[in-house]
Amino acid sequence: MNSYKYYLIIDLEATCCNQKTIARNQMEIIEIGAVLVDAKTLTIIDEFQTFICPVRNPVLTAFCTELTSITQKDVDNAPGFSEAIKKFRQWLQSYHNYVFCSWGDYDKKQFEQDCQFHQVAYPLASGHINIKKAFSTTQGFKRKYGMSKALKLIGAPLEGTHHRGIDDARNMVKLMPFVLEDKN
């Protein structure tokens, strides 16, 4: 992890339902939250956030809105996936030598799934680090905790709205010193 200039911390939110009416392989990204962090100082350099208008299930479920606080109006007024990825690429083109980090592997898999569905090239040139797994490893936990529990374990507050992409990405920045530093 030390060979990168930046950590690109991304958290995605996607269409979802608690009634099993949206299959996992039918979920679509509705928010990209990205925070670019200087690898040496762990300070935030830049941020990117966009909502995305879904096409498979264009009407958000009540569960999805309650979980994420993302409203129907937010996604109705948002660009489609292709346009959102174009904006994301434009933002990211100023930065080189970064590694994509996310809390678990879900975000990487969802990005790949949506790129394939929309026939858009995958926008991230770097590898991927599962910082959820790295946190547990460096801290000597046998269990892999959710982000909010990990924040509690280090004594940091969860700020913003949990399950909002940009807020969760910002919260993950607080965990990076513990991801990188072996506490065993």
Side-chain angles (χ1 to χ4, degrees):
M1 285 181 73
N2 295 330
S3 62
Y4 297 99
K5 186 173 181 181
Y6 304 108
Y7 298 119
L8 177 61
I9 300 174
I10 296 177
D11 189 72
L12 305 175
E13 301 305 330
T15 55
C16 56
C17 183
N18 61 344
Q19 302 294 316
K20 299 185 181 179
T21 57
I22 301 175
R24 185 137 181 125
N25 66 350
Q26 298 292 309
M27 293 168 61
E28 287 180 89
I29 298 169
I30 56 173
E31 183 189 14
I32 299 172
V35 178
L36 195 75
V37 177
D38 182 280
K40 288 187 174 129
T41 65
L42 299 181
T43 57
I44 295 174
I45 302 298
D46 203 355
E47 296 183 351
F48 176 88
Q49 187 277 340
T50 188
F51 294 115
I52 299 173
C53 185
V55 295
R56 287 179 176 164
N57 295 285
V59 177
L60 300 181
T61 64
F63 173 79
C64 185
T65 296
E66 185 178 322
L67 179 69
T68 65
S69 79
I70 298 170
T71 67
Q72 189 65 47
K73 185 177 178 182
D74 291 332
V75 296
D76 285 347
N77 295 325
F81 185 79
S82 297
E83 182 62 26
I85 294 302
K86 181 179 175 185
K87 289 178 183 180
F88 180 65
R89 282 182 199 277
Q90 289 170 341
W91 171 75
L92 196 53
Q93 73 184 359
S94 301
Y95 305 105
H96 304 283
N97 194 22
Y98 63 83
V99 63
F100 168 24
C101 302
S102 64
W103 198 260
D105 290 325
Y106 162 79
D107 301 87
K108 182 178 187 295
K109 290 175 184 171
Q110 188 67 48
F111 237 138
E112 292 169 343
Q113 175 181 295
D114 280 26
C115 286
Q116 184 177 9
F117 175 75
H118 291 280
Q119 299 179 342
V120 171
Y122 185 69
L124 301 167
S126 70
H128 176 257
I129 296 172
N130 176 337
I131 57 176
K132 178 180 186 175
K133 183 177 177 183
F135 175 82
S136 293
T137 300
T138 60
Q139 299 308 301
F141 298 127
K142 291 186 182 350
R143 198 171 158 215
K144 292 172 186 65
Y145 293 100
M147 187 202 62
S148 63
K149 176 66 176 176
L151 287 168
K152 286 180 186 172
L153 289 169
I154 67 162
L158 189 145
E159 294 179 14
T161 302
H162 192 29
H163 298 299
R164 272 298 308 279
I166 193 64
D167 291 340
D168 284 353
R170 289 173 183 146
N171 280 303
M172 283 181 235
V173 174
K174 298 177 197 175
L175 293 161
M176 288 305 288
F178 299 88
V179 167
L180 299 168
E181 185 179 319
D182 195 340
K183 296 285 183 188
N184 289 323

